[in-house]
Amino acid sequence: YPDDGDNAETLLKHADTAMYHAKSEGRDNCQFYNIALTLQAEKRMHLENDLRDALEKQEFFLVYQPQFDIAAESFQSVEALIRWNHPKQGSISPLDFIPLAEENGLIIPIGEWVLRTACQDAARWHQQGHCLEVAVNLSPLQIKNPGLVQSVLDILAETNFPPEKLVLEITEGALMEHNENTLSTLHALRNHNIQIALDDFGTGYSSMNYLKRLAINNLKVDQSFIHGLLDDDDNLAIVRAIISLSKNLGFTVTAEGIETLEQAQVLKHFGCETLQGFYFSKP
Protein backbone atom coordinates (compact mmCIF):
# COMPACT_ATOMS: atom_id res chain seq x y z
CA TYR A 1 0.00 0.00 0.00
CA PRO A 2 -0.46 2.31 -1.77
CA ASP A 3 1.62 1.24 -4.80
CA ASP A 4 -0.23 -2.06 -5.42
CA GLY A 5 -3.71 -0.96 -4.30
CA ASP A 6 -5.43 1.52 -2.03
CA ASN A 7 -7.94 -0.86 -0.41
CA ALA A 8 -7.85 -4.23 1.32
CA GLU A 9 -9.70 -6.12 -1.43
CA THR A 10 -7.26 -5.03 -4.18
CA LEU A 11 -4.20 -5.65 -2.00
CA LEU A 12 -5.38 -9.16 -1.08
CA LYS A 13 -6.14 -9.96 -4.71
CA HIS A 14 -2.67 -8.84 -5.79
CA ALA A 15 -1.02 -10.70 -2.91
CA ASP A 16 -2.86 -13.81 -4.10
CA THR A 17 -1.47 -13.26 -7.61
CA ALA A 18 2.06 -13.03 -6.15
CA MET A 19 1.46 -16.24 -4.18
CA TYR A 20 0.53 -18.18 -7.34
CA HIS A 21 3.63 -16.80 -9.01
CA ALA A 22 5.72 -18.04 -6.06
CA LYS A 23 4.14 -21.49 -6.42
CA SER A 24 4.88 -21.57 -10.13
CA GLU A 25 8.52 -20.74 -9.37
CA GLY A 26 8.86 -23.94 -7.35
CA ARG A 27 7.38 -22.99 -3.95
CA ASP A 28 9.41 -22.11 -0.81
CA ASN A 29 10.19 -18.62 -2.11
CA CYS A 30 8.94 -15.06 -1.83
CA GLN A 31 7.66 -12.99 -4.76
CA PHE A 32 6.55 -9.38 -4.93
CA TYR A 33 3.51 -8.39 -6.93
CA ASN A 34 3.85 -6.32 -10.08
CA ILE A 35 1.34 -5.32 -12.74
CA ALA A 36 2.89 -7.70 -15.27
CA LEU A 37 1.65 -10.64 -13.17
CA THR A 38 -1.97 -9.46 -13.48
CA LEU A 39 -1.59 -8.95 -17.22
CA GLN A 40 -0.01 -12.40 -17.51
CA ALA A 41 -2.83 -13.98 -15.47
CA GLU A 42 -5.48 -12.24 -17.59
CA LYS A 43 -3.79 -13.33 -20.81
CA ARG A 44 -3.62 -16.89 -19.51
CA MET A 45 -7.31 -16.84 -18.52
CA HIS A 46 -8.35 -15.59 -21.97
CA LEU A 47 -6.11 -18.16 -23.64
CA GLU A 48 -7.65 -20.94 -21.56
CA ASN A 49 -11.17 -19.84 -22.50
CA ASP A 50 -10.21 -19.67 -26.19
CA LEU A 51 -8.53 -23.08 -25.94
CA ARG A 52 -11.84 -24.61 -24.85
CA ASP A 53 -13.47 -23.35 -28.06
CA ALA A 54 -10.56 -24.05 -30.42
CA LEU A 55 -11.39 -27.73 -30.97
CA GLU A 56 -15.05 -27.04 -31.64
CA LYS A 57 -14.22 -24.20 -34.03
CA GLN A 58 -11.56 -26.29 -35.84
CA GLU A 59 -8.73 -23.83 -35.20
CA PHE A 60 -6.11 -26.56 -34.77
CA PHE A 61 -4.24 -28.11 -37.67
CA LEU A 62 -1.34 -30.53 -38.09
CA VAL A 63 2.00 -30.14 -39.80
CA TYR A 64 4.35 -33.06 -40.45
CA GLN A 65 8.13 -33.23 -40.25
CA PRO A 66 9.71 -35.93 -42.45
CA GLN A 67 12.15 -38.42 -40.93
CA PHE A 68 14.95 -39.66 -43.17
CA ASP A 69 15.69 -43.39 -43.12
CA ILE A 70 19.44 -43.81 -43.69
CA ALA A 71 19.33 -47.43 -44.89
CA ALA A 72 16.47 -46.82 -47.35
CA GLU A 73 17.91 -43.41 -48.33
CA SER A 74 14.38 -42.01 -48.35
CA PHE A 75 11.66 -40.61 -46.08
CA GLN A 76 9.85 -43.52 -44.46
CA SER A 77 8.08 -41.71 -41.62
CA VAL A 78 6.80 -38.35 -40.40
CA GLU A 79 6.13 -36.76 -37.02
CA ALA A 80 2.77 -35.04 -36.52
CA LEU A 81 2.95 -31.64 -34.79
CA ILE A 82 -0.05 -29.58 -33.70
CA ARG A 83 -0.47 -25.89 -34.51
CA TRP A 84 -3.12 -23.38 -33.39
CA ASN A 85 -4.31 -20.62 -35.68
CA HIS A 86 -6.05 -18.23 -33.26
CA PRO A 87 -8.68 -16.04 -34.99
CA LYS A 88 -7.36 -12.84 -33.35
CA GLN A 89 -3.81 -13.60 -32.18
CA GLY A 90 -2.74 -15.61 -35.22
CA SER A 91 -0.34 -18.50 -34.75
CA ILE A 92 0.13 -19.55 -31.10
CA SER A 93 3.12 -21.72 -30.23
CA PRO A 94 2.49 -25.20 -28.78
CA LEU A 95 4.95 -24.18 -26.04
CA ASP A 96 2.30 -21.69 -24.89
CA PHE A 97 -0.87 -23.75 -25.13
CA ILE A 98 0.16 -27.39 -24.56
CA PRO A 99 1.22 -26.85 -20.89
CA LEU A 100 -2.09 -25.03 -20.34
CA ALA A 101 -4.03 -27.90 -21.91
CA GLU A 102 -2.20 -30.37 -19.65
CA GLU A 103 -3.07 -28.33 -16.56
CA ASN A 104 -6.79 -28.11 -17.27
CA GLY A 105 -7.23 -31.60 -18.74
CA LEU A 106 -8.04 -30.42 -22.28
CA ILE A 107 -4.99 -32.35 -23.51
CA ILE A 108 -7.13 -35.54 -23.48
CA PRO A 109 -9.65 -34.43 -26.16
CA ILE A 110 -6.95 -32.44 -28.02
CA GLY A 111 -4.66 -35.50 -28.00
CA GLU A 112 -7.46 -37.66 -29.39
CA TRP A 113 -8.08 -35.13 -32.15
CA VAL A 114 -4.36 -35.13 -33.07
CA LEU A 115 -4.22 -38.93 -33.20
CA ARG A 116 -7.42 -39.24 -35.25
CA THR A 117 -6.37 -36.52 -37.71
CA ALA A 118 -2.85 -37.94 -38.14
CA CYS A 119 -4.22 -41.44 -38.77
CA GLN A 120 -6.78 -40.10 -41.27
CA ASP A 121 -4.09 -38.19 -43.17
CA ALA A 122 -1.65 -41.11 -43.14
CA ALA A 123 -4.38 -43.57 -44.24
CA ARG A 124 -5.07 -41.29 -47.21
CA TRP A 125 -1.34 -41.25 -48.08
CA HIS A 126 -1.33 -45.08 -47.94
CA GLN A 127 -4.20 -45.17 -50.44
CA GLN A 128 -2.09 -42.94 -52.71
CA GLY A 129 0.85 -45.37 -52.47
CA HIS A 130 2.92 -43.56 -49.81
CA CYS A 131 3.13 -46.11 -46.98
CA LEU A 132 4.64 -43.82 -44.35
CA GLU A 133 4.75 -44.41 -40.61
CA VAL A 134 3.30 -41.56 -38.59
CA ALA A 135 4.56 -40.55 -35.13
CA VAL A 136 2.23 -38.85 -32.63
CA ASN A 137 3.28 -37.36 -29.29
CA LEU A 138 1.55 -38.43 -26.08
CA SER A 139 1.44 -36.16 -23.02
CA PRO A 140 1.99 -37.48 -19.46
CA LEU A 141 -1.72 -36.99 -18.74
CA GLN A 142 -2.70 -39.13 -21.73
CA ILE A 143 -0.43 -41.96 -20.59
CA LYS A 144 -2.08 -41.89 -17.14
CA ASN A 145 -5.55 -41.94 -18.70
CA PRO A 146 -6.99 -45.46 -18.15
CA GLY A 147 -8.95 -45.17 -21.40
CA LEU A 148 -5.88 -44.51 -23.58
CA VAL A 149 -5.39 -47.99 -25.05
CA GLN A 150 -9.05 -48.40 -26.03
CA SER A 151 -9.13 -44.87 -27.46
CA VAL A 152 -6.09 -45.60 -29.67
CA LEU A 153 -7.56 -48.90 -30.87
CA ASP A 154 -10.92 -47.27 -31.63
CA ILE A 155 -9.24 -44.54 -33.69
CA LEU A 156 -7.16 -47.08 -35.63
CA ALA A 157 -10.29 -49.08 -36.43
CA GLU A 158 -12.25 -45.95 -37.35
CA THR A 159 -9.56 -44.66 -39.72
CA ASN A 160 -8.53 -48.12 -40.99
CA PHE A 161 -4.88 -47.28 -40.31
CA PRO A 162 -2.52 -50.24 -39.70
CA PRO A 163 -1.29 -50.27 -36.06
CA GLU A 164 2.25 -51.26 -37.02
CA LYS A 165 2.58 -47.98 -38.93
CA LEU A 166 1.72 -45.88 -35.85
CA VAL A 167 4.47 -44.66 -33.53
CA LEU A 168 3.48 -43.14 -30.19
CA GLU A 169 6.16 -40.86 -28.73
CA ILE A 170 6.50 -40.40 -24.99
CA THR A 171 9.07 -38.21 -23.24
CA GLU A 172 11.46 -39.28 -20.52
CA GLY A 173 9.80 -36.65 -18.36
CA ALA A 174 6.46 -38.43 -18.74
CA LEU A 175 8.04 -41.54 -17.23
CA MET A 176 9.49 -39.71 -14.21
CA GLU A 177 6.52 -40.82 -12.11
CA HIS A 178 6.59 -44.27 -13.65
CA ASN A 179 4.61 -47.06 -12.10
CA GLU A 180 3.23 -50.45 -13.01
CA ASN A 181 0.19 -48.86 -14.69
CA THR A 182 2.47 -47.01 -17.13
CA LEU A 183 4.33 -50.23 -17.91
CA SER A 184 1.14 -52.20 -18.48
CA THR A 185 -0.25 -49.43 -20.74
CA LEU A 186 2.90 -49.47 -22.89
CA HIS A 187 2.92 -53.27 -23.06
CA ALA A 188 -0.77 -53.30 -24.04
CA LEU A 189 -0.05 -50.91 -26.92
CA ARG A 190 2.94 -53.00 -28.03
CA ASN A 191 0.81 -56.15 -27.91
CA HIS A 192 -1.35 -54.54 -30.60
CA ASN A 193 1.76 -53.95 -32.78
CA ILE A 194 1.84 -50.20 -32.09
CA GLN A 195 5.36 -48.83 -31.90
CA ILE A 196 6.63 -46.80 -28.93
CA ALA A 197 9.43 -44.21 -29.11
CA LEU A 198 11.13 -42.57 -26.12
CA ASP A 199 11.47 -38.87 -26.98
CA ASP A 200 14.02 -36.32 -25.69
CA PHE A 201 16.25 -39.14 -24.49
CA GLY A 202 19.19 -37.99 -22.39
CA THR A 203 17.40 -35.05 -20.75
CA GLY A 204 15.47 -36.96 -18.07
CA TYR A 205 16.37 -39.49 -15.43
CA SER A 206 15.57 -42.89 -16.89
CA SER A 207 17.18 -45.64 -14.88
CA MET A 208 18.87 -48.36 -16.90
CA ASN A 209 16.83 -50.95 -15.01
CA TYR A 210 13.57 -49.27 -16.00
CA LEU A 211 14.70 -48.72 -19.57
CA LYS A 212 15.12 -52.43 -20.21
CA ARG A 213 11.59 -53.09 -18.89
CA LEU A 214 9.98 -50.54 -21.20
CA ALA A 215 8.13 -51.84 -24.24
CA ILE A 216 9.78 -49.39 -26.62
CA ASN A 217 11.15 -49.72 -30.15
CA ASN A 218 13.00 -46.46 -30.62
CA LEU A 219 15.05 -43.87 -28.72
CA LYS A 220 15.05 -40.26 -29.95
CA VAL A 221 18.26 -38.41 -29.09
CA ASP A 222 17.40 -34.92 -27.85
CA GLN A 223 18.42 -32.12 -30.21
CA SER A 224 20.37 -30.34 -27.43
CA PHE A 225 23.06 -33.02 -27.90
CA ILE A 226 22.98 -32.73 -31.69
CA HIS A 227 23.50 -28.94 -31.76
CA GLY A 228 26.95 -29.23 -30.20
CA LEU A 229 27.85 -32.52 -31.83
CA LEU A 230 30.70 -31.26 -34.02
CA ASP A 231 32.43 -28.90 -31.58
CA ASP A 232 31.86 -30.52 -28.18
CA ASP A 233 33.64 -33.79 -27.36
CA ASP A 234 31.27 -34.44 -24.45
CA ASN A 235 28.20 -34.24 -26.71
CA LEU A 236 29.92 -36.51 -29.20
CA ALA A 237 30.65 -39.07 -26.47
CA ILE A 238 27.08 -38.91 -25.11
CA VAL A 239 25.49 -39.43 -28.54
CA ARG A 240 27.85 -42.30 -29.32
CA ALA A 241 27.02 -43.90 -25.95
CA ILE A 242 23.25 -43.53 -26.46
CA ILE A 243 23.46 -45.17 -29.88
CA SER A 244 25.63 -48.00 -28.51
CA LEU A 245 23.25 -48.53 -25.57
CA SER A 246 20.26 -48.61 -27.94
CA LYS A 247 21.87 -51.22 -30.17
CA ASN A 248 22.59 -53.46 -27.19
CA LEU A 249 19.00 -53.17 -25.94
CA GLY A 250 17.56 -53.80 -29.39
CA PHE A 251 16.20 -50.28 -30.01
CA THR A 252 16.52 -48.20 -33.15
CA VAL A 253 17.74 -44.59 -32.84
CA THR A 254 16.37 -41.34 -34.26
CA ALA A 255 18.36 -38.11 -33.96
CA GLU A 256 16.43 -34.82 -33.84
CA GLY A 257 17.55 -31.32 -34.75
CA ILE A 258 19.80 -32.11 -37.73
CA GLU A 259 20.80 -28.81 -39.30
CA THR A 260 23.90 -29.66 -41.37
CA LEU A 261 25.18 -32.39 -43.67
CA GLU A 262 28.20 -32.86 -41.37
CA GLN A 263 25.94 -33.72 -38.43
CA ALA A 264 24.06 -36.22 -40.59
CA GLN A 265 27.30 -37.87 -41.74
CA VAL A 266 28.63 -38.26 -38.18
CA LEU A 267 25.35 -39.80 -37.00
CA LYS A 268 25.28 -42.17 -39.96
CA HIS A 269 28.84 -43.23 -39.08
CA PHE A 270 27.77 -43.91 -35.48
CA GLY A 271 24.95 -46.19 -36.70
CA CYS A 272 21.92 -43.96 -36.21
CA GLU A 273 18.96 -45.24 -38.27
CA THR A 274 16.74 -42.17 -38.70
CA LEU A 275 17.43 -38.44 -38.96
CA GLN A 276 15.03 -35.53 -38.47
CA GLY A 277 15.59 -31.80 -38.65
CA PHE A 278 15.61 -28.60 -40.67
CA TYR A 279 18.48 -29.90 -42.85
CA PHE A 280 15.96 -32.26 -44.44
CA SER A 281 12.75 -30.31 -43.99
CA LYS A 282 10.87 -27.98 -41.68
CA PRO A 283 7.53 -29.32 -40.44
Side-chain angles (χ1 to χ4, degrees), residues 121-165:
D121 287 347
R124 190 171 65 253
W125 300 334
H126 279 218
Q127 290 170 0
Q128 295 167 352
H130 309 296
C131 293
L132 295 167
E133 291 180 357
V134 65
V136 176
N137 294 282
L138 291 184
S139 82
L141 210 60
Q142 286 176 279
I143 296 168
K144 291 178 184 175
N145 179 15
L148 173 68
V149 175
Q150 191 57 52
S151 172
V152 172
L153 295 178
D154 289 347
I155 288 171
L156 286 171
E158 175 191 327
T159 58
N160 200 28
F161 188 66
E164 66 274 10
K165 290 293 187 179

Side-chain angles (χ1 to χ4, degrees), residues 198-202 219-226 239 242-243 253-257 267 272:
L198 190 56
D199 199 8
D200 299 341
F201 187 75
L219 285 185
K220 296 191 78 175
V221 183
D222 188 68
Q223 58 186 348
S224 60
F225 298 116
I226 305 302
V239 172
I242 290 173
I243 293 173
V253 184
T254 299
E256 296 183 288
L267 289 160
C272 191

Side-chain angles (χ1 to χ4, degrees), residues 60-255:
F60 293 123
F61 64 97
L62 295 185
V63 292
Y64 297 91
Q65 186 165 35
Q67 299 173 324
F68 185 74
D69 185 294
I70 291 176
E73 296 187 342
S74 63
F75 296 108
Q76 299 289 312
S77 53
V78 294
E79 180 180 1
L81 300 164
I82 189 170
R83 297 290 186 263
W84 181 11
N85 187 24
H86 192 281
K88 293 179 181 175
Q89 299 181 42
S91 181
I92 296 179
S93 168
L95 296 175
D96 291 328
F97 71 84
I98 292 296
L100 196 59
E102 287 179 343
E103 282 180 32
N104 60 26
L106 286 171
I107 196 67
I108 301 296
I110 290 173
E112 287 184 0
W113 176 87
V114 170
L115 182 61
R116 180 175 288 105
T117 304
C119 288
Q120 285 172 342
D121 287 347
R124 190 171 65 253
W125 300 334
H126 279 218
Q127 290 170 0
Q128 295 167 352
H130 309 296
C131 293
L132 295 167
E133 291 180 357
V134 65
V136 176
N137 294 282
L138 291 184
S139 82
L141 210 60
Q142 286 176 279
I143 296 168
K144 291 178 184 175
N145 179 15
L148 173 68
V149 175
Q150 191 57 52
S151 172
V152 172
L153 295 178
D154 289 347
I155 288 171
L156 286 171
E158 175 191 327
T159 58
N160 200 28
F161 188 66
E164 66 274 10
K165 290 293 187 179
L166 175 63
V167 182
L168 295 177
E169 294 192 5
I170 56 176
T171 63
E172 262 194 294
L175 299 176
M176 293 276 286
E177 302 171 16
H178 56 253
N179 54 37
E180 292 306 316
N181 288 338
T182 305
L183 281 176
S184 57
T185 296
L186 296 181
H187 280 287
L189 291 167
R190 286 291 297 119
N191 288 340
H192 287 93
N193 295 321
I194 296 161
Q195 301 183 62
I196 307 293
L198 190 56
D199 199 8
D200 299 341
F201 187 75
T203 60
Y205 303 93
S206 289
S207 72
M208 295 301 109
N209 184 49
Y210 190 63
L211 194 60
K212 71 179 183 182
R213 295 172 63 202
L214 286 175
I216 63 175
N217 308 80
N218 176 269
L219 285 185
K220 296 191 78 175
V221 183
D222 188 68
Q223 58 186 348
S224 60
F225 298 116
I226 305 302
H227 288 161
L229 187 67
L230 302 177
D231 44 28
D232 187 323
D233 288 344
D234 289 342
N235 275 2
L236 200 67
I238 288 170
V239 172
R240 182 183 279 158
I242 290 173
I243 293 173
S244 175
L245 172 71
S246 301
K247 300 286 186 194
N248 289 321
L249 290 174
F251 307 146
T252 57
V253 184
T254 299

